[in-house]
Structures are given as C-alpha cells and as structure tokens.
C-alpha cells in the first residue's frame, strides 16, 4: 500500500540469531549503515535453476559491542513507513560467511547467504531416500536437510514417481539435485521470506500481481547545472575553512 504514498520513507531491520535465540535487533536508527540485497541466478535461462539471496550488511560498531561468528544468522526486513506503522517485506534467513572490520571507522562489513548456499556442502546420499519416491519426496527431503520451514511445489509434475530411483550417482550436491528437479518440472526454485523452499513456474498468461501506474511517480529533471558545495573542515574559531565544489 505504501507504494502509492507521495513520500516513501524506507526502513530496515536486521535481527541477529544464534540458533533459534534472538540476540539483537538493529535498525537504521542505531547500527545499520546499509543493506544490499542481491538475487543471484543463472543468466539466459527461463527455468531449471535456483535463485540465491546474497546480502551485504554494514553495521557501525563504535563501542565494539557486536560479536558475530559464522554460526549466527540474520533475518532481514525492509519496509516503508506508513501512517499506521511500517509495512515490512521479509527476506529469508541469511547465514554469515564473512565479517570484516574497518579499524579506522569501526564499521562491520558482513556477507551472508540464504540456506541454498550452505546446501553445496551436502550431497544426494545425505537424503537417505529409498525408492520408489516422487520428485516431491526428493525436494521435501532437501528442504528438511537445509532447514526450510516447508516446501511449496503445487504442480502435478512433482508427483512423478521414480520406481527404481532417480538417475543420480549419489555424490551430486543438493543444489544440483534441486536444479535437476527444476529442469524436469519447468520451474525455478528459491527460498522465500517465510523460509519455505519454493518451486515456481513463470506464467506468461497469468494475471499481474500488482500494476504500478505512472501516476504513482514523478520525473525529476534538471535543465541547468547546479553547484554542490561541501564544508570539508574548519578550525574551532571558524577560520581556515576548506570547501569542495562539484558541478
């Protein structure tokens, strides 16, 4: 609903967990400097691949009070301020893979991925499946291994049964298994904001989820050059002022 507002105030929240325990919650009002969310997938394909969330978080930790390890994960929310509160959009859990501190600014740069990235260390034999099984059985077993809250795959193709087992050697990584399932069913897969493993078919003839019209936006155009001046530094007495000017 906030997409229709004349003024859009973006809000962010990063909740830090250790297992199921919430350790801390950060917002743009305290520690968050920026959150960059990327969805990474294979280019040039319409189905038969997965989309992974890669998130870069920058937190300001002047007091050196924030302690992070790769055993922690974040739950990220981005939202828009409305008259009645904040409308948040949820993103999947992201697991920390890297943390770097700038010793001059005490800024933490954190890289984290959703559970599909961690699935690369697991293989098909870890699923413990016994034939016969369906494609749905396979992806549900993968979902359980990677800690997904559930599996959403509602197409009839997922009920296809393999009486003697699928054509796997057993050493395939779980993303490779999911990719094979997506190729067989004409779908893509990803982890959604509720941490469910979702398989979805792009529907060329389906109805739009939302139509955003031009009336919701304005064009900002500047016909003449503007000079932006920045006060870089000055002494306590106000003299010796240094100014940077950009056109």
């Amino acid at each position: 609903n906030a997409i229709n507002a004349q003024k859009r105030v973006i809000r962010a929240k990063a909740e830090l967990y250790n297992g199921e325990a919430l350790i801390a919650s950060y917002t743009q009002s305290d520690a968050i400097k920026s959150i960059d969310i990327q969805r990474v997938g294979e280019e040039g394909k319409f189905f038969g691949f997965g989309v992974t969330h890669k998130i870069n978080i920058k937190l300001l930790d002047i007091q050196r009070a924030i302690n992070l390890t790769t055993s922690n994960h974040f739950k990220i929310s981005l939202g828009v301020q409305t008259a009645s509160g904040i409308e948040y959009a949820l993103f999947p859990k992201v697991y920390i893979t890297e943390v770097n501190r700038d010793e001059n600014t005490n800024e933490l740069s954190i890289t984290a991925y959703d559970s599909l990235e961690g699935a690369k260390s697991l293989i098909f034999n870890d699923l413990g499946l016994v034939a016969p099984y369906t494609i749905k059985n396979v992806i549900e077993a993968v979902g359980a291994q990677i800690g997904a809250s559930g599996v959403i795959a509602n197409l009839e193709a997922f009920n296809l049964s393999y009486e003697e087992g699928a054509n796997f050697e057993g050493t395939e990584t779980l993303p490779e298994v999911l990719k094979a399932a997506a190729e067989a069913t004409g779908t893509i897969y990803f982890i959604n904001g509720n941490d469910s493993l979702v398989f979805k078919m792009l529907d060329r003839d389906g109805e739009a989820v939302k139509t955003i019209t031009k009336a919701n936006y304005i064009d900002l155009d500047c016909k003449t050059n503007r000079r932006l001046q920045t006060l870089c530094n000055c002494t306590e007495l106000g003299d010796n002022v240094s100014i940077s000017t950009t056109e």
Side-chain angles (χ1 to χ4, degrees):
N1 293 334
I3 231 170
N4 297 317
Q6 293 300 313
K7 180 181 179 183
R8 301 174 187 88
V9 180
I10 307 301
R11 299 299 185 199
K13 181 168 60 175
E15 295 176 311
L16 178 65
Y17 286 83
N18 185 19
E20 297 301 317
L22 176 63
I23 300 175
S25 181
Y26 307 107
T27 70
Q28 73 287 331
S29 299
D30 41 65
I32 294 178
K33 290 196 67 177
S34 68
I35 295 178
D36 177 56
I37 299 174
Q38 302 172 28
R39 292 185 173 97
V40 184
E42 292 185 49
E43 295 184 7
K45 297 183 67 175
F46 292 100
F47 66 88
F49 66 94
V51 178
T52 302
H53 290 80
K54 177 184 178 182
I55 296 184
N56 296 306
I57 308 169
K58 291 187 177 181
L59 300 179
L60 191 59
D61 183 26
I62 296 176
Q63 302 300 325
R64 293 178 174 263
I66 301 175
N67 296 310
L68 303 172
T69 72
T70 53
S71 63
N72 299 133
H73 70 267
F74 278 101
K75 186 72 175 178
I76 303 298
S77 306
L78 294 184
V80 181
Q81 182 77 50
T82 69
S84 58
I86 302 175
E87 292 184 5
Y88 276 116
L90 297 178
F91 291 83
K93 294 177 184 176
V94 286
Y95 297 85
I96 297 173
T97 60
E98 186 177 354
V99 180
N100 293 295
R101 179 186 292 275
D102 186 323
E103 296 295 343
N104 295 318
T105 64
N106 282 317
E107 179 181 289
L108 296 175
S109 295
I110 304 149
T111 302
Y113 293 85
D114 68 26
S115 56
L116 291 179
E117 180 72 13
K120 293 178 179 178
S121 62
L122 302 171
I123 62 174
F124 178 78
N125 280 347
D126 293 332
L127 301 179
L129 291 169
V130 178
Y133 49 75
T134 65
I135 297 178
K136 187 75 173 287
N137 294 147
V138 173
I139 63 175
E140 286 176 340
V142 173
Q145 278 283 341
I146 65 176
S149 61
V151 171
I152 300 175
N154 301 321
L155 299 174
E156 185 62 32
F158 287 95
N159 295 321
L160 177 65
S161 180
Y162 291 84
E163 299 302 318
E164 298 182 2
N167 187 25
F168 288 129
E169 296 180 357
T171 57
E172 294 84 358
T173 66
L174 294 192
E176 289 174 334
V177 173
L178 294 177
K179 181 177 179 180
E183 287 178 340
T185 55
T187 57
I188 64 171
Y189 64 91
F190 55 91
I191 303 292
N192 70 6
N194 295 318
D195 297 306
S196 292
L197 175 60
V198 180
F199 281 76
K200 187 172 184 177
M201 179 180 290
L202 300 179
D203 187 358
R204 181 180 63 182
D205 301 318
E207 294 184 4
V209 176
K210 181 174 180 61
T211 300
I212 302 173
T213 67
K214 184 91 164 72
N216 293 334
Y217 296 92
I218 61 171
D219 289 327
L220 180 62
D221 189 16
C222 183
K223 298 297 184 182
T224 59
N225 291 336
R226 294 291 184 265
R227 294 167 63 83
L228 304 178
Q229 288 193 328
T230 303
L231 183 66
C232 294
N233 61 71
C234 66
T235 66
E236 288 181 307
L237 298 178
D239 58 355
N240 193 25
V241 177
S242 172
I243 295 176
S244 169
T245 301
T246 303
E247 188 170 293

